[in-house]
């Protein structure tokens, strides 16, 4: 193994570790919502984790500014909601969770994920 | 001049919201009128544009606690379609240009054919000029999706494509401008612009086909929405006026002529006609309807003219409920999707890590030129990985399956119900109204020696008058047809599952089954033989007694539905055991069951015991579906693994049932199970394909076959495989559209 190989091995290992840390070890910031929340859809969801109260109706608005086809739909499978998000337009949905727990919302192709924490 | 505007209002729940909003909007100075539709959650306002702005309307709506989507939030009805059409058009141009430029580059750079290419195409700088628009114009969408995703520390398929093609493009650009550097490390300085351009072209082509196919998955819901009538001819003060459907109110009298669409649900007041309900119920034969019959909005009046009273409007109509149910089902998540969900959360980062590992392995252990092998294989890994197929595998099949069901009058509540239905191996049918027509008729009256048959009927009808049981209705109707004068009854009492009793002329008269007779200590004596004979014919026999003396019998029979035998046969063919549950005694039940080919019977079951019976069969390890009317059987439907409500579109039925069959054809039960089986088979095939594709081809792209067979995957072939992968999953889901009911 020459010096090149050792360097490539070290950088590759660091690259993989960085990828793991960057994508899979990010901290989740949960935004507490009482009545309504606006979620910006651009390369994911901001905020991507919200906490909402159980038994109360919460309005969740999505505004998509990302042209990626992946994000054109939002799916809240546990609430039986699948909505098309027209580019640049606000789409509001209402959820009244009956159970406490963590529920996910995703894009239509299940690539981007967000979390709804019912408390 | 007045201007009309339609906009969406968020937060509406009930009819009172409509009133509140209409009032609030009408109160705005300059508004001429406002109509709010609960079904579409939209308001249509006519106003003077000089005096009224969007802000006025918005604040009027906000003041009463709702939210108007006006201005930037406005949505047009077919915005989705328009946006999609525009996107597809743009995509088509991008695909054509990318592939054209890509092929020109390939011609000028591919070893065996480059000699035939004009000199200009062999020039690296010309290749670069051709590759730039493909990389940064056609491929811009990949970067546009990647950059914000990285800001959120997430990645998707666009990230992989952007990374893969950028690596190929950058390497080629270095070769173009600094060929010396590449030569110094022992590599023939050849650019790979063909790889970056053709990959972009092919992936965009795959996206084009995928988008077209995906549009087909939501066709059913669009069809249903399109069924709604636009106007109604309302009769007011003797005059007929055409009004928009949104303005039709409960109680309005509506006239419908031959060939016209029935606007909303209602009850016929006058006239008769044959009505084609196939678009809503899936029932292919038109139904004859007359005064007192209900009509469904959006169905077509075929022959006669009639007037009817609107009983359900807006979101309460059967069509609106069907649309809501199908939309909900299509938005729900199937349990089988869980694994794909878990995998997708890690997929792209893992692929990036594998691509880095591929680079390192080929660079350190690969043959010369190591850098080239390492780069090309890394690009192949990034490009071949297809997370989209996994994401699309389940929802597209659910969308097509539930949509197809709705077309046939089979409404599936959610993906979970659909998934459970395919495992069902026992189906319990409620007899009355489900297997039978539900309109029993008096067939025999047996009187004692000193009493006339008419008197038996009179006494029985008098006492049954107060009962709501379907058998009571048969007896009372029979007596009315005979013009019998009924007695006055006091102390009327219904004994559930047994019969009724009361006082007539100071004597206790009881009328019911053998259980009631034995409770009242009525001896059957010689009557037992008569009862046995009638019951063996499938008739329900009721015993009339005064005090403890039996004075006569009335037999009532309900005819099995025409479709019952065929429906049961279909289920047996699918390997599902049909079971009949009834309050009738064993003998009567057996007679009916044998006519239909049902072997297992649960007889003499009181209404309250049905739920327990369902649980009992579940204890045998069976996956049970219960078929009933959804109203009386609600607890049993809820207890079953799959509750199937039949021939009813009411709120209660839909709430209680996992599957609602709008038509009364019993073959629909087998069809619903068959549809669930086919949908699940499609999902499994999709998932198998999506997982298998990635599990097999990612290692191939990494070069797993190279040590044994010298096989490496060209990144261009990787992009072909990747583009076909998600298209094939969606196309496979679309094949479900070819499913049809067994005839």
């Amino acid at each position: 193994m020459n010096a090149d190989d050792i360097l490539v091995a070290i950088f590759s290992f660091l690259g993989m570790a960085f990828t793991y840390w960057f994508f899979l070890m990010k901290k989740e910031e949960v935004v507490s919502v009482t009545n309504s929340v606006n979620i910006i859809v651009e390369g994911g969801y901001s905020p991507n984790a919200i906490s909402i109260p159980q038994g109360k109706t919460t309005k969740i608005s999505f505004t998509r500014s990302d042209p990626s086809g992946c994000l054109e739909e939002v799916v809240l499978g546990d609430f039986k909601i699948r909505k098309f998000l027209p580019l640049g337009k606000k789409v509001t949905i209402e959820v009244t969770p009956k159970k406490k727990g963590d529920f996910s919302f995703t894009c239509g192709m299940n690539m981007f994920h967000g979390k709804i924490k019912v408390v | 001049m007045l201007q009309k505007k339609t906009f969406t209002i968020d937060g509406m729940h009930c009819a009172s919201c409509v009133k509140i909003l209409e009032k609030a909007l009408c109160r705005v100075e300059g508004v001429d009128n406002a109509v709010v539709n609960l079904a579409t959650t939209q308001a249509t306002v006519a106003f003077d544009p000089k005096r009224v702005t969007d802000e006025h309307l918005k604040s009027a709506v906000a003041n009463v606690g709702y939210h108007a989507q006006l201005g930037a939030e406005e949505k047009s009805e077919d915005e989705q379609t328009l946006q999609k059409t525009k996107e597809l058009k743009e995509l088509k141009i991008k695909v054509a240009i990318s592939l054209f430029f890509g092929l020109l580059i390939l011609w000028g750079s591919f070893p065996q054919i480059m000699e035939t290419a004009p000199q200009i195409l062999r020039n690296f700088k010309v290749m670069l000029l051709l590759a730039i628009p493909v990389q940064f114009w056609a491929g811009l969408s990949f970067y546009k999706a990647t950059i914000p995703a990285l800001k959120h520390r997430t990645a998707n398929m666009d990230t992989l494509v952007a990374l893969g093609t950028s690596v190929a493009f950058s390497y080629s650009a270095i070769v173009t401008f600094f060929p010396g550097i590449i030569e110094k490390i022992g590599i023939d300085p050849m650019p790979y612009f063909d790889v970056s351009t053709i990959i972009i072209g092919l992936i965009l082509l795959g996206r084009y086909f995928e988008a077209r196919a995906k549009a087909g998955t939501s066709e059913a819901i669009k069809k249903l929405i399109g069924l709604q009538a636009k106007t109604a001819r309302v009769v007011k003060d003797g005059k007929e006026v055409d009004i928009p459907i949104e303005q039709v109110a409960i109680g309005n009298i509506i006239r419908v002529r031959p060939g016209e669409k029935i606007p909303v649900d209602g009850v016929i007041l006058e006239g008769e006609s044959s009505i084609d309900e196939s678009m809503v119920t899936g029932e292919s034969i038109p139904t004859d309807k007359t005064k007192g019959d209900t009509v469904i909005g959006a169905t077509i009046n075929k022959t006669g003219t009639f007037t009817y009273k609107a009983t359900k409007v807006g979101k309460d109509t059967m069509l609106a409920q069907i649309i809501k149910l199908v939309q909900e089902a299509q938005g729900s998540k199937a349990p089988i999707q869980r694994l794909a969900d878990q995998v997708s959360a890690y997929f792209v980062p893992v692929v990036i890590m594998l691509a880095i590992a591929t680079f390192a392995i080929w660079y350190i252990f690969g043959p010369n030129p190591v850098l080239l092998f390492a780069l090309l294989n890394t690009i192949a890994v990034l490009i071949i990985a297809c997370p989209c197929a996994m994401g699309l595998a389940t929802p597209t099949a659910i969308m097509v399956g539930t949509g197809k069901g709705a077309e046939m009058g089979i409404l599936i509540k959610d993906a979970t119900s659909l998934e459970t239905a395919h495992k069902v191996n026992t189906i319990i049918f409620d007899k009355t109204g489900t297997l039978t027509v539900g309109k029993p008729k008096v067939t025999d009256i047996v009187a004692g020696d000193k009493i006339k048959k008419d008197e038996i009927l009179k006494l029985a009808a008098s006492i049954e008058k107060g009962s709501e049981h379907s058998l009571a209705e048969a007896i009372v109707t029979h007596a009315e047809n005979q013009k019998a004068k009924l007695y006055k009854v006091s102390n009327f009492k219904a004994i559930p599952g047994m019969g009724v009793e009361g006082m007539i002329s100071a004597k206790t008269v009881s009328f019911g089954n053998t259980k009631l007779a034995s409770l009242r200590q009525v001896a059957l004596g010689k009557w037992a033989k008569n009862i046995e004979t009638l019951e063996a014919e499938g008739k329900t026999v009721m015993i009339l007694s005064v005090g403890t003396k039996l004075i006569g019998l009335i037999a009532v029979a309900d005819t099995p539905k025409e479709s019952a035998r065929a429906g049961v046969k279909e289920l047996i063919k699918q390997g599902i055991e049909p079971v009949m549950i009834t309050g009738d005694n064993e003998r009567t039940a057996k007679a009916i069951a044998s006519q239909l080919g049902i072997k297992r019977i649960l007889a003499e079951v009181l209404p309250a015991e049905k739920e327990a019976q369902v649980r009992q069969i579940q204890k045998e390890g069976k996956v049970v579906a219960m078929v009933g009317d959804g109203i009386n059987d609600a607890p049993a439907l809820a207890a079953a693994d799959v509750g199937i409500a039949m021939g009813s579109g009411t709120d209660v039925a839909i709430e209680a049932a996992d599957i609602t069959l709008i038509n009364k054809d019993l073959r629909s039960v087998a069809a619903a199970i068959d549809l669930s089986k086919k949908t699940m088979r499609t999902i499994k095939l999709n998932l198998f394909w999506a997982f298998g594709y990635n599990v097999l081809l990612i290692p191939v792209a990494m070069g797993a076959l190279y040590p044994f067979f010298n096989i490496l995957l060209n990144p261009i072939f990787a992009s072909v495989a990747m583009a076909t992968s998600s298209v094939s999953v969606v196309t496979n889901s679309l094949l479900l559209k070819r499913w049809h009911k067994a005839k």
Side-chain angles (χ1 to χ4, degrees):
Chain A
M1 220 186 231
N2 56 33
D4 276 10
D5 293 348
I6 294 167
L7 269 179
V8 166
I10 292 170
F11 277 111
S12 298
F13 179 76
L14 289 176
M16 281 162 51
F18 174 77
T19 308
Y20 186 84
W21 169 82
F22 187 77
F23 292 114
L24 301 173
M25 288 183 69
K26 62 180 175 202
K27 267 192 190 158
E28 195 174 75
E29 277 174 36
V30 182
V31 175
S32 184
V33 177
T34 42
N35 292 313
S36 62
V37 61
N38 286 315
I39 294 180
I40 305 295
V41 183
E42 193 188 15
Y45 303 99
S46 316
N48 78 338
I50 56 170
S51 86
I52 62 172
Q54 180 197 7
K56 278 188 180 171
T57 302
T58 307
K59 288 179 182 179
I60 307 174
S61 302
F62 291 90
T63 312
R64 176 165 76 105
S65 54
D66 188 330
S68 162
C70 227
L71 287 158
E72 69 182 20
E73 275 183 322
V74 66
V75 183
L76 287 82
D78 300 296
F79 300 95
K80 296 186 189 172
I81 295 169
R82 173 183 285 271
K83 278 265 177 187
F84 178 75
L85 306 176
L87 204 57
K89 306 257 161 99
K90 193 176 188 176
V91 174
T92 306
I93 54 158
E94 289 186 359
V95 289
T96 314
K98 288 177 189 149
K99 282 189 289 183
K100 283 185 183 178
D102 287 353
F103 304 94
S104 68
F105 60 94
T106 66
C107 69
M109 288 188 192
N110 208 358
M111 296 281 124
F112 293 102
H113 303 91
K115 194 191 268 178
I116 299 176
K117 233 179 160 62
V118 179
V119 288
Chain B
M1 191 159 158
L2 290 179
Q3 188 187 318
K4 259 195 177 179
K5 190 161 215 165
T6 301
F7 52 90
T8 301
I9 295 182
D10 298 324
M12 290 169 63
H13 306 289
C14 57
S16 72
C17 301
V18 174
K19 292 243 165 67
I20 294 167
L21 282 161
E22 283 180 347
K23 255 190 186 173
L25 286 164
C26 285
R27 250 187 257 134
V28 176
E29 261 185 62
V31 169
D32 186 58
N33 76 59
V35 178
V36 177
N37 183 349
L38 195 55
T40 56
T41 65
Q42 284 190 329
T44 306
V45 182
F47 59 95
D48 179 357
K50 285 179 193 151
R51 295 162 65 197
V52 181
T53 63
D54 281 356
E55 282 314 305
H56 288 128
L57 299 174
K58 221 172 171 176
S59 75
V61 171
N63 285 343
V64 286
Y66 304 89
H67 177 81
Q69 295 194 4
L70 272 161
E73 298 169 32
E74 249 171 272
K75 274 190 274 179
S76 78
E77 238 175 63
D78 45 7
E79 195 163 14
Q80 182 171 353
T81 321
L82 282 176
Q83 198 172 310
K84 279 273 124 197
T85 316
K86 199 177 145 217
E87 275 174 23
L88 279 177
K89 212 173 150 190
E90 279 175 17
L91 205 51
K92 215 165 151 183
I93 298 168
K94 284 180 179 172
V95 168
I97 292 178
S98 311
L99 289 179
F100 180 64
F101 284 5
L103 288 171
L104 286 181
I105 298 172
L106 191 73
W107 192 14
S109 59
F110 201 75
Q112 277 90 38
I113 53 168
M114 62 189 283
E115 286 75 23
T116 63
Q119 197 57 40
I120 188 165
L121 286 182
R122 289 195 241 168
N123 185 314
F124 292 175
K125 287 188 178 131
V126 172
M127 287 183 196
L128 175 71
L129 282 177
L130 290 171
I132 285 174
V134 178
Q135 189 72 30
F136 301 107
W137 168 71
L140 185 65
S141 58
F142 299 118
Y143 292 111
K144 270 191 169 172
T146 301
I147 295 162
L150 290 179
K151 277 187 199 159
H152 285 90
R153 294 173 69 172
T154 52
N156 70 340
M157 210 201 76
D158 295 284
T159 319
L160 299 177
V161 179
L163 269 175
T165 57
S166 298
V167 170
F169 182 85
S170 311
Y171 172 79
S172 307
I174 294 169
V175 170
T176 308
F177 291 114
F178 313 103
I181 300 178
I182 304 294
E183 229 165 346
K184 251 188 206 168
I185 49 174
I187 302 173
D188 182 21
M190 277 300 289
Y192 282 88
F193 288 122
D194 52 339
V195 171
S196 66
T197 49
I198 291 180
I199 286 175
I200 289 177
L202 286 173
I203 289 178
L204 290 178
L205 180 68
R207 265 194 196 177
Y208 174 77
F209 285 126
E210 183 190 304
R212 278 185 51 159
K214 259 174 78 191
T217 61
S218 55
E219 224 167 51
I221 200 89
K222 283 181 201 147
K223 256 194 221 166
L224 282 171
I225 292 169
L227 283 179
Q228 200 179 31
K230 302 270 184 291
T231 58
R233 186 172 301 117
V234 173
V235 185
K236 266 184 191 165
D237 308 323
K239 280 183 190 167
E240 290 178 12
V241 196
D242 279 351
I243 60 166
I245 192 92
E246 293 82 7
Q247 293 179 9
V248 178
I250 292 174
N252 278 168
I253 310 296
I254 299 165
R255 188 182 300 281
V256 189
R257 297 203 183 110
E260 286 181 348
K261 199 175 258 187
I262 297 167
V264 294
D265 299 357
V267 179
I268 297 181
L269 297 174
E270 208 186 312
E272 52 186 32
S273 183
S274 171
I275 295 170
D276 177 5
E277 296 182 335
S278 60
M279 58 295 291
V280 177
T281 65
E283 183 72 68
S284 56
I285 303 160
T287 324
D288 291 331
K289 302 228 170 175
T290 183
K291 192 182 167 188
D293 287 339
T294 53
V295 288
I296 307 167
T299 57
I300 305 280
N301 176 29
K302 302 278 277 188
T303 50
T305 299
F306 62 90
T307 50
Y308 78 100
K309 191 163 93 179
T311 53
K312 279 178 180 171
V313 297
K315 77 161 179 59
D316 298 325
T317 62
M318 189 188 270
L319 180 68
Q321 286 191 58
I322 292 173
I323 292 170
K324 186 174 166 257
L325 198 74
V326 176
Q327 275 174 336
E328 283 183 357
Q330 296 193 335
S332 65
K333 198 181 272 185
I336 197 169
Q337 207 180 326
R338 250 177 246 146
L339 179 65
D341 279 2
Q342 279 165 354
V343 172
S344 76
Y346 298 97
F347 189 82
V348 177
V350 168
V351 170
I352 296 174
M353 287 193 270
L354 286 175
I356 298 172
T358 305
F359 182 88
I361 292 166
W362 279 91
Y363 192 88
I364 298 165
F365 305 108
N368 274 323
V370 285
L371 179 66
L372 211 55
F373 273 110
L375 275 177
L376 287 176
N377 290 330
T378 304
I379 296 168
V381 171
L382 289 170
I383 297 301
I384 202 143
C386 185
C388 289
M390 279 188 290
L392 292 169
T394 315
T396 52
I398 298 279
M399 283 177 84
V400 180
T402 50
K404 188 72 197 173
E407 269 176 34
M408 304 278 178
I410 301 165
L411 302 180
I412 298 155
K413 195 177 187 181
D414 51 29
T416 311
S417 309
L418 188 80
E419 192 173 327
T420 318
H422 96 287
K423 295 181 203 151
V424 163
N425 50 24
T426 304
I427 296 191
I428 308 174
F429 288 94
D430 180 46
K431 193 204 89 179
T432 309
T434 304
L435 284 172
T436 61
V437 178
K439 284 186 180 152
K441 283 182 184 145
V442 173
T443 55
D444 304 80
I445 300 173
V446 188
D449 296 337
K450 289 171 193 163
I451 193 162
K452 282 183 178 173
K453 282 184 181 180
D454 291 352
E455 186 59 18
I456 296 290
L457 179 66
K458 226 167 118 176
L459 281 167
S462 304
I463 202 140
E464 284 281 37
K465 185 91 180 160
S467 168
E468 286 170 356
H469 199 279
S470 61
L471 296 181
E473 200 187 316
I475 290 162
V476 175
T477 311
H478 194 72
E480 277 170 2
N481 291 344
Q482 308 271 316
K483 299 202 168 76
K485 269 196 168 179
L486 303 187
Y487 294 109
K488 262 197 167 175
V489 178
S490 59
N491 296 346
F492 170 82
K493 201 165 84 186
I495 304 145
M498 293 190 191
V500 287
E501 59 184 18
M503 303 284 287
I504 296 176
S505 312
K507 283 176 186 161
T508 304
V509 180
S510 52
F511 185 59
N513 57 19
T514 46
K515 279 186 193 165
L516 182 65
S518 106
L519 188 75
R520 295 290 172 247
Q521 289 164 342
V522 177
L524 299 182
K526 62 174 177 126
W527 295 88
K529 183 87 184 141
N530 296 57
I531 295 170
E532 199 178 304
T533 316
L534 290 167
E535 283 179 350
E537 291 165 12
K539 293 166 183 169
T540 305
V541 182
M542 281 176 289
I543 300 158
L544 183 71
S545 49
V546 175
T548 55
K549 192 179 177 222
L550 200 160
I551 60 164
L553 304 173
I554 294 184
V556 170
D558 190 3
T559 42
K561 278 184 191 164
E562 262 180 51
S563 59
R565 203 179 156 76
V568 168
K569 205 172 152 193
E570 268 306 311
L571 287 174
I572 295 171
K573 217 163 96 183
Q574 286 186 33
I576 295 167
E577 186 191 20
V579 179
M580 186 172 94
I581 193 164
T582 174
D584 287 345
N585 67 49
E586 187 96 24
R587 217 166 350 195
T588 309
K590 254 189 188 160
I592 297 264
S594 71
Q595 282 177 40
L596 302 176
I598 297 176
K599 292 203 175 103
R600 188 166 179 185
I601 305 151
L602 303 168
E604 292 173 57
V605 178
L606 295 176
E609 291 169 359
K610 283 183 187 168
E611 186 187 342
Q613 291 288 340
V614 169
R615 294 197 193 281
Q616 188 57 41
I617 294 185
Q618 281 171 325
K619 273 188 197 153
E620 294 169 16
K622 301 278 173 63
V623 182
V624 179
M626 165 85 202
V627 189
D629 61 13
I631 301 162
N632 301 316
D633 310 311
L637 292 192
D641 297 288
V642 178
I644 303 177
M646 187 148 204
S648 164
T650 63
D651 294 343
V652 196
I654 288 177
E655 267 309 305
D658 297 302
I659 296 176
T660 304
L661 305 172
I662 313 173
N663 59 55
K664 290 182 176 162
D665 187 338
L666 270 157
R667 283 168 298 193
S668 297
V669 177
I673 303 293
D674 189 45
L675 177 64
S676 78
K677 282 183 180 167
K678 296 274 159 43
T679 310
M680 288 313 294
R681 204 171 67 186
T682 303
I683 292 175
K684 283 176 187 168
L685 196 66
N686 281 352
L687 286 172
F688 179 74
W689 168 255
F691 278 110
Y693 165 90
N694 285 299
V695 167
L696 284 177
L697 290 188
I698 291 178
V700 172
M702 289 176 79
L705 297 180
Y706 188 80
F708 313 104
F709 309 106
N710 262 358
I711 293 174
L712 278 179
L713 195 67
N714 183 312
I716 292 180
F717 290 127
S719 69
V720 174
M722 191 269 163
T724 41
S725 167
S726 46
V727 176
S728 58
V729 162
V730 183
T731 310
N732 189 39
S733 296
L734 284 176
L735 286 181
L736 269 175
K737 279 191 178 179
R738 287 160 54 181
W739 174 85
H740 55 83
K741 267 191 205 177
K743 292 216 172 125

